[in-house]
Structure formats: C-alpha cells, structure tokens
Amino acid sequence: TQQEVKMRMMGMAMRVIRTDGFLALYNGLSASLCRQMTYSLTRFAIYETARDRLGQGSQGPPPFYQKVLLGAVGGFTGGFVGTPADMVNVSCSEPDTFPPAPRSYSHALDGMYRVLREEGLKKLFSGATMASSRGALVTVGQLSCYDQAKQLVLATGLLSDNIFTHFLASFIAGGCATFLCQPIDVLKTRLMNSQGEYRGVTHCAMETAKLGPLAFYKGFVPAAIRLIPHTVLTFVFLEQLRKYFGIKVIT
C-alpha cells in the first residue's frame, strides 16, 4: 500500500515484529476470516451451482468461456458482499491510516458497526467497485482456471484424479489469479486507504500509472506467496471433502 516503495516485504515484516510484536502480523485476522466467509462462500456457491447445472444439461464439462463468465459473475457478486469486511481488514492492517485507531476494534463485526455508525454506509462500501472487479478476476483465475487446468491434465492420460493432479491444477490457478488481479488489488487497496485524494477509480489508476507500469504489480511477490498457497490449500481440501462425501462434479 506504499505510494512509493520504501520497504520490501521482509523489511516490512521485521519492522512490524520489532515495533509491535510477532502477533501484529495477524492484525485483522477476524476481519479476514469474515471476508472469506462472505466473499468466498458467495462466489463458490454461484460458480459451482451454475457450472454443475450447465454440465448436467450438456452431459459434459462446459466450455472454458462459460466457466470464465460464471467466474466473473460469481466473483463480482462475492467481491461486493465481502467489501465491508475487506475494508475493516485493511483498516486493521494499517493502524496509522484510519482514525480512530483500528486496533481498538475488538473484532470484525465491531469494526463494521463502528464504521457504519461513525462514517456511514458509503464508507463501509468504499472501494466496492475495485473489490468487485478484483473478485471477478481472482475467481476467473482460481475457479475457472482450476477447472480448466484439471480438465487438461486429466485429458493427457498421464495423471489420474488424485491429490497430485489437484495440487498441480491449483498451483497453476493460483499463478493465474495473482497475475490477473494484482493491478486491481493495488488500486483497490489505494482507494480503501485514501483520505479523499483520489476522485474515483479512473483518477486513482491515472495517478498510479504516473509511477510506471510496474506500479500496478507492486507487491506481486507477497501477493503470490499469499494467493498461490491459499489456492492450493483451498482446492486440495475441497477435493478431499468431495471424495469423503461422495460428491461428483462435472469440471
């Protein structure tokens, strides 16, 4: 979220640990969990329900462009639903940015309630456009690309539907998701952190572009370190749960 790069990932981590202790790295954990329980549940429910219905109608996996459209719709909706928790999460991670001190929030629901009461509904959904756009792109990268990667890997006949296939497909999907959503993620976080210096998404994008094209991929390495393992764990556990409960999916 730095406007100008002053500190890289490891330097920032060590600074947080020195100044606030190791547990400060987990500031905003309840908000992050709340965001996942709203954002991820919504996008997974929309995408998988619609995909399975399309697959049943055609007696086979839907084409990739349909998966992309479903991922975009599901992710956009999920991003909007998860915006309040996402805003509080950013607030808890940036203690010097939001008054009053975000660390006084006892949990995510307390943070959302206080923002709603003190700054209004508009502030609670600040950055909703960018959060929804990011949700669409990351869902295309994760869910659509995972299904397509898994389908292509299985089509080679070299691997069966096992945990290694799930790992490989989810690793590819995590890389695709990081590449697709990082520019939007940069703009979204800047808008959520802003104190009125940006006149909307377009102005934020123009100001970021002045720093050079690589400014849109600022934080790419920590984003990949976060998103790829998150994607791998999500789909590996999901596939194991499907097998345990005997759920068959048309991918």
Side-chain angles (χ1 to χ4, degrees):
T1 63
Q2 300 171 94
Q3 300 301 307
E4 296 180 4
V5 178
K6 299 177 181 178
M7 196 171 297
R8 300 290 180 181
M9 182 180 68
M10 293 306 299
M12 183 65 74
M14 295 306 299
R15 176 184 175 182
V16 171
I17 293 171
R18 283 197 305 268
T19 57
D20 300 305
F22 181 78
L23 292 180
L25 294 173
Y26 287 88
N27 284 344
L29 179 61
S30 65
S32 182
L33 292 173
C34 184
R35 174 182 177 272
Q36 291 298 333
M37 288 187 289
T38 52
Y39 159 68
S40 287
L41 280 176
T42 301
R43 67 193 184 110
F44 267 83
I46 293 174
Y47 175 82
E48 299 218 342
T49 301
R51 180 205 59 196
D52 290 346
R53 288 186 180 275
L54 287 173
Q56 290 172 356
S58 60
Q59 298 301 315
F64 183 57
Y65 78 90
Q66 290 186 358
K67 296 175 186 175
V68 170
L69 290 174
L70 293 177
V73 172
F76 191 89
T77 307
F80 182 80
V81 171
T83 295
D86 199 13
M87 193 279 297
V88 173
N89 184 29
V90 173
S91 172
C92 291
S93 302
E94 295 278 343
D96 297 327
T97 303
F98 289 75
R103 291 179 188 176
S104 61
Y105 296 163
S106 55
H107 47 75
L109 296 179
D110 176 56
M112 287 187 283
Y113 171 73
R114 286 179 55 184
V115 171
L116 179 64
R117 183 186 63 187
E118 298 167 11
E119 302 182 68
L121 184 64
K122 184 177 180 180
K123 182 63 178 177
L124 196 62
F125 280 89
S126 63
T129 301
M130 301 309 302
S132 298
S133 300
R134 179 192 183 275
L137 289 175
V138 77
T139 304
V140 169
Q142 283 185 321
L143 278 70
S144 306
C145 289
Y146 173 79
D147 281 349
Q148 193 67 20
K150 179 182 173 184
Q151 181 182 332
L152 293 174
V153 169
L154 293 176
T156 64
L158 300 175
L159 294 172
S160 60
D161 190 0
N162 54 32
I163 194 168
F164 182 75
T165 298
H166 306 154
F167 174 85
L168 180 60
S170 58
F171 189 91
I172 294 171
C176 292
T178 306
F179 180 79
L180 287 173
C181 75
Q182 187 61 15
I184 297 294
D185 212 14
V186 169
L187 297 179
K188 173 185 70 73
T189 305
R190 288 191 170 194
L191 283 171
M192 286 183 171
N193 279 343
S194 71
Q195 298 296 316
E197 62 266 33
Y198 298 125
R199 300 188 301 273
V201 176
T202 302
H203 183 238
C204 181
M206 291 174 63
E207 291 298 309
T208 303
K210 291 179 181 178
L211 302 174
L214 292 181
F216 290 99
Y217 282 90
K218 187 180 295 182
F220 182 83
V221 172
I225 291 174
R226 172 188 174 272
L227 193 53
I228 292 177
H230 174 270
T231 304
V232 169
L233 288 173
T234 296
F235 284 103
V236 168
F237 275 105
L238 181 62
E239 292 283 9
Q240 295 306 307
L241 287 171
R242 283 171 175 165
K243 287 187 176 181
Y244 180 79
F245 289 107
I247 300 172
K248 293 183 179 181
V249 178
I250 302 173
T251 57

